[in-house]
Amino acid sequence: MYGKNDLRASLAPSAEKVAMTPFKPASYGRFYEEMPVEESELASTWLTRGQNLIVAYSAVRSGAVLARSGQIDEYAVVLPDAGLSVEITAGGQTETAHGPCVAFIPPGDSSVRALGDGGLYRLITTRSADLAARCANAGDFATPDLNVPEFTPWPDPVGGWRIRVYSGDVPSQPGRFGRIYRCTTIMVNLTSGRAGPRDPADLSPHHHDDFEQYSIATAGEFIHHLRWPWTGNSAHWLEDQHAYCAAPSVAVIPPPATHTSQGMSTGLNRLADVFCPPRHDFSAREGWVLNAADYPAPDPAP
């Protein structure tokens, strides 16, 4: 059940689905305690994957360049904090993005040049096999998750491919959940976070039938609580998890695990929740996706 005052409680319940078995356990990237998979004088990069998405976290210094050559599909750059700006170049276009923001980068050749010091995230589908193979947790996905359907991109953007930058400073609004942006491959919810520990009597356990959630801790500390359903075959049962993840980190939460995240720090606790491909239920809510005019949703299934 969602906690009191949680706007997600208003989402229409999905039709009952029978999950495939066995279930996948959650997978974690704790970038603050792991060795980077790429390191240079100006940037260190960590890679963690799920079934559909790679989360690439980079700690950068001014002048660092993160490039993609022949990128197969659209990807995202997330600057979670004010104070870091980047210069993005792709398709003959150059744009400057100032944090906090999310930027969507078209397929093909592109580069992201840091204009200061800080941390940033690139969100790239696992169709980029060169990165998927280098993820620290690649072994967790040597066998595909049968509960996650095959990835299908959403329709092309209105007006064609180009760099699109969206602010993370949009004021909150009653009745709207977070700051949600989508592209053809990814949906990002930039939340404001919460100051101080979350009330343990006001959590929001819920599950997703057939899509992953990538909960990226951009500030603070969290306990990710997860529980898997019991089936008639006890060999498929998994132990509950109460996984500690500080920032920067990502928790890859598989379906159909019931889950909720509990902020623990006395300071700011902030998550960015990511889905690949975008969520239909969030997209169906009027006004929730702030850039819906730029990225159409697929036609409803007949």
Side-chain angles (χ1 to χ4, degrees), residues 186-201:
I186 296 160
M187 174 177 279
V188 181
N189 184 8
L190 297 177
T191 69
S192 299
R194 304 177 189 220
R198 187 173 182 179
D199 182 355

Side-chain angles (χ1 to χ4, degrees), residues 66-281:
L66 306 173
R68 293 294 297 158
S69 178
Q71 173 64 30
I72 191 170
D73 51 14
E74 198 171 25
Y75 71 100
V77 173
V78 176
L79 306 182
D81 299 307
L84 177 61
S85 300
V86 298
E87 183 181 82
I88 304 170
T89 300
Q93 178 190 5
T94 297
E95 297 287 341
T96 301
H98 307 284
C101 71
V102 57
F104 295 125
I105 318 301
D109 298 345
S110 60
S111 66
V112 179
R113 183 169 69 90
L115 302 179
D117 300 350
L120 63 85
Y121 298 83
R122 288 172 297 160
L123 311 174
I124 303 173
T125 74
T126 51
R127 296 176 69 196
S128 292
D130 61 316
L131 295 180
R134 301 178 63 197
C135 290
N137 67 335
D140 292 350
F141 294 89
T143 301
D145 187 346
L146 298 179
N147 293 303
V148 178
E150 183 177 355
F151 171 79
T152 302
W154 281 29
D156 290 356
V158 174
W161 299 109
R162 63 181 177 86
I163 301 167
R164 300 169 190 262
V165 181
Y166 302 99
S167 173
D169 276 334
V170 176
S172 299
Q173 180 177 310
R176 194 191 74 220
F177 182 62
R179 299 172 189 85
I180 301 174
Y181 298 101
R182 71 178 181 229
C183 69
T184 59
T185 53
I186 296 160
M187 174 177 279
V188 181
N189 184 8
L190 297 177
T191 69
S192 299
R194 304 177 189 220
R198 187 173 182 179
D199 182 355
D202 187 21
L203 302 181
S204 298
H206 62 284
H207 81 282
H208 310 303
D209 287 327
D210 58 3
F211 60 85
E212 301 168 301
Q213 177 169 318
Y214 297 75
S215 288
I216 300 173
T218 61
E221 305 168 80
F222 290 87
I223 302 291
H224 298 293
H225 303 285
L226 294 98
R227 169 169 289 180
W228 284 261
W230 285 7
T231 67
N233 184 348
S234 63
H236 296 157
W237 296 357
L238 296 176
E239 295 288 338
D240 290 356
Q241 287 189 357
H242 306 279
Y244 172 85
C245 290
S249 66
V250 59
V252 182
I253 300 170
T258 298
H259 60 278
T260 188
S261 296
Q262 182 179 2
M264 303 299 293
S265 171
T266 56
L268 177 65
N269 298 290
R270 186 182 63 204
L271 292 172
D273 285 333
V274 178
F275 308 93
C276 177
R279 288 178 63 158
H280 289 274
D281 55 353

